[in-house]
Amino acid sequence: MATKQQSQNAITLKGSAKLVMDYLNFGINSILFQRGIYPPESFKTEEHFGLSILVSTDEKIQQFLQPVLNQMKDWLLDQKIQKMAMVIYNVTTKEVLERWDFKLQYEGSPNDTNSELVGNKDLSTIQKEIRDVLRQICSTVSFLPLLDCPCAFDLQIYTKPEVDVPQEWAETAPSYIANSQELQLRSFSTSLHRMNTVVSYKTDM
Amino acid sequence: MSQFAFVNDLKNVVRMDEPITSGPAPRWMKKSMDSSGSANTSRNKVSTSSSFNANTKIPKETSDLIATKKTPSKTPSKSKSPASKSASNTPAKPKTPGGDRFIPSRMSTNFDISHFKMNRENEDLEISPSQSDYRKAMSENLHGCDINNVRVLSYQNKAPAPPEGYQNALKVVYTQSKTPMNIRGATRYIPHAPDRILDAPEIVDDYYLNLIDWSFSNTLAVALGTSVYLWNADTGAIDQLFDLEGADYVTSVSWVPNGNLLAVGTALGPVQLWDVAQTKRLRIMNSHSSRVGAMSWNTHILTTGSRTGQLVHNDVRQREHVVGTIYSHTQEVCGLKWAPDGRYLASGGNDNLLNIYSGLPGQATYQSEPLYSFSQHQAAVKALDWCPWQTNVLASGGGTADRTIRFWNCNNGQCINSVNANSQVCAILWSKTYRELVSAHGFANNQLTIWKYPALTKVAELTGHTNRILNLAMSPDGSTVLSAGADETLRMWKCFLPDPNKKKDQQKRSSRPTLLGPGLR
């Protein structure tokens, strides 16, 4: 009886990774919409985590996002990722205007990488935490500076050195913003992964 | 003699048409010489030219040596005249033997320094511990981790750039253009200038506060910084109700619907209840620990919303005033409104949520879970008002990032309609006289917009404020709208003046007997 109860509340490593990836996916889409990087008519509303989130319908964006997120999920299960940075840069000058850092921490026993690892946090609590962060992402638009030029974005994944790099992936230089202001958003934890979201942006345009 | 030598030398240099005498012999000449087995001719030629500088210090022998040592590749023009050659003292050169082969001179090469420098290159990474700590800290600051232990990877098929000619939609917020108005407009006359302008010095320019309210007995309460002022709209008399001390300031005011009680929310949390007729404070309710930005009455229940997102129902008659607490907002509550019939409570917060709770007037128990939770607004929801003629319809407006006004049917939880206002929506009021509503906006035009409902066409735009509008209040007869602007003015707009033929009906309504006022004290 007790074990049954346990399994109901448990969250597996895979489930946790999926939650983290869902958060990243919706977070990135939300940022793309909220910051006006792509035209708003190319987004559609979807209900997730009890929120209406605008998700891009642009095929090219999805063709970029999905492989990256899938690859990240694999690395996440191997505990290879330290953080992911979403870089928003000016298309013409390539100047980085904004960077969203999604920092990952691994909770639970660090050496135990097998899939038996389970957390004990209630799913609704996790979803509530994720919802709060996603909402906060929406509300940041009120103080972030206007991106007054055509911008594009890139995802940079900070991994441990021993990671296998598949084809189509390459190392890049980390990008950072001179004279940047940083803002730490709320964090959430699935009891296996803890996600910290930080946005840094140029102070004077 | 010597001066002639110099002149000759100069001539020798300047002349171009003569066969070249100085410098090495041309290749063809040299070859023919070599074939004859003697280089002496070339030396002789040189020596003839160098015979001019017989007076120079360097002996003839040396100058000859220099000339013969020259490699044929050197162009004559470069080697100038023998005179200048001999002037440049190069005594070390003739000592090195070996024609045109490169043999490094061990004397001139500093092997000690070279060796030292080569070895030092390998030791370059060895820096002092404090320096390495500093580098580590810097890299952690910049990248969030130690960059040496990290690989930064990115997918090579990059995301596309936005389509050509696309402009950031948020730019609309920053544009100055006026939105086109309905051409037909209104059939009635709406004065476009304010009827009266009052000064409101030190009004707190904060979107999340609710600083004005107009009472049933035609008194306007205005919170200016630390004090509350009362402006009697009939006589124009101004009274200061009270003044807070210290860092505290007034964050919200709200009149009981049909009486003379004023609830005042403060920045430190306590809510004060004032009897204005006697200028007497009745009680202080400590239900919040942070500032109370929004309040709404439902007969004797005062619902207050604070910065923490907490909503508290206070029964002002009881000693234990807290009768219900709701934790459905995660951020500051800035909009709070009971429906006139007390069946619903709407709350809007900085977490972009609009929550609807069901309630009954005077009921002691309250649900802690919202009936509906709408997340369609993309910014803080401050502007809220219930439709006076359709009691289940709520109008709500979002902040800068949202800029839309939405209409909700709270019986079934549907969004009936929405309209883009192109500017931050700071307040909404429904007209009691017409099927219209007025919304107050911020940047860029700081205007009040009057909309027809349900057509949602613009009837009029009232401009005048030089900074965003913070709040709206309506006079008890419904004819005048008062707007409080961040430009420290209160402007009155007589935009809902009733038609003359409907006037009698209007007067009847305003002389309705008070329901609660005497009952509360």
Side-chain angles (χ1 to χ4, degrees), chain B residues 111-130:
Chain B
F111 281 95
D112 288 342
I113 287 181
S114 312
H115 179 73
F116 171 71
K117 281 193 170 169
M118 277 172 75
N119 283 347
R120 211 187 57 165
E121 232 168 62
N122 299 335
E123 292 161 10
D124 204 23
L125 290 173
E126 282 176 30
I127 45 175
S128 71
S130 68

Side-chain angles (χ1 to χ4, degrees), chain A residues 4 9 11-13 32 36 42 58 77 83 88 112 122 125 131 138 163 177 202:
Chain A
K4 200 179 177 186
N9 258 342
I11 178 164
T12 59
L13 187 63
L32 291 181
S42 70
D58 191 322
L77 290 172
K83 84 173 188 183
I88 298 173
D112 192 12
D122 195 26
T125 326
R131 188 159 60 226
C138 291
V163 75
I177 309 165
K202 268 185 82 155

Side-chain angles (χ1 to χ4, degrees), chain A residues 34 38 83 135 157 161 168, chain B residues 143 149 153 156 160 351 378:
Chain A
Q34 295 290 345
Y38 294 101
K83 84 173 188 183
R135 246 189 229 126
I157 292 131
E168 297 177 312
Chain B
H143 312 294
N149 297 334
L153 299 173
Q156 288 306 290
D351 50 2
Q378 300 292 325

Side-chain angles (χ1 to χ4, degrees), chain B residues 15 30 38 182 229 277 311 465 513:
Chain B
R15 281 192 87 149
K30 254 179 93 181
S38 146
N182 183 23
Y229 287 87
L311 289 179
H465 277 289

Side-chain angles (χ1 to χ4, degrees), chain B residues 205-207 212 382 424-427 438-443 445-449 462-473 482-487 489 491 493:
Chain B
D205 180 12
D206 192 326
Y207 182 77
I212 56 170
K382 181 196 184 188
Q424 172 184 43
V425 185
C426 304
V438 58
S439 60
H441 301 278
F443 198 79
N445 294 322
N446 309 311
Q447 84 282 23
L448 285 94
T449 308
L462 311 174
T463 50
H465 277 289
T466 55
N467 206 333
R468 67 171 172 186
I469 298 171
L470 298 170
N471 287 109
L472 286 183
L482 180 116
S483 58
D487 54 356
T489 60
R491 289 167 199 252
W493 314 83

Side-chain angles (χ1 to χ4, degrees), chain B residues 123-164:
Chain B
E123 292 161 10
D124 204 23
L125 290 173
E126 282 176 30
I127 45 175
S128 71
S130 68
Q131 219 170 349
S132 74
D133 278 353
Y134 174 72
R135 280 194 191 180
K136 215 174 192 175
M138 279 305 280
S139 112
E140 250 163 49
N141 246 345
L142 283 173
H143 312 294
C145 48
D146 192 0
I147 208 69
N148 291 325
N149 297 334
V150 165
R151 297 176 77 171
V152 185
L153 299 173
S154 76
Y155 195 54
Q156 288 306 290
N157 304 334
K158 299 288 184 205
E164 200 74 17

Side-chain angles (χ1 to χ4, degrees), chain B residues 482-501:
Chain B
L482 180 116
S483 58
D487 54 356
E488 303 198 334
T489 60
L490 306 176
R491 289 167 199 252
M492 287 191 201
W493 314 83
K494 282 203 181 295
C495 51
F496 294 130
L497 273 177
D499 280 348
N501 50 358

Side-chain angles (χ1 to χ4, degrees), chain A residues 31-59:
Chain A
I31 293 166
L32 291 181
F33 174 78
Q34 295 290 345
R35 304 297 289 123
I37 295 168
Y38 294 101
E41 52 273 16
S42 70
F43 288 82
K44 67 173 193 296
T45 341
E46 283 181 13
E47 284 275 340
H48 295 285
F49 302 116
L51 275 178
S52 41
I53 294 166
L54 288 134
V55 178
S56 174
T57 53
D58 191 322
E59 271 179 29

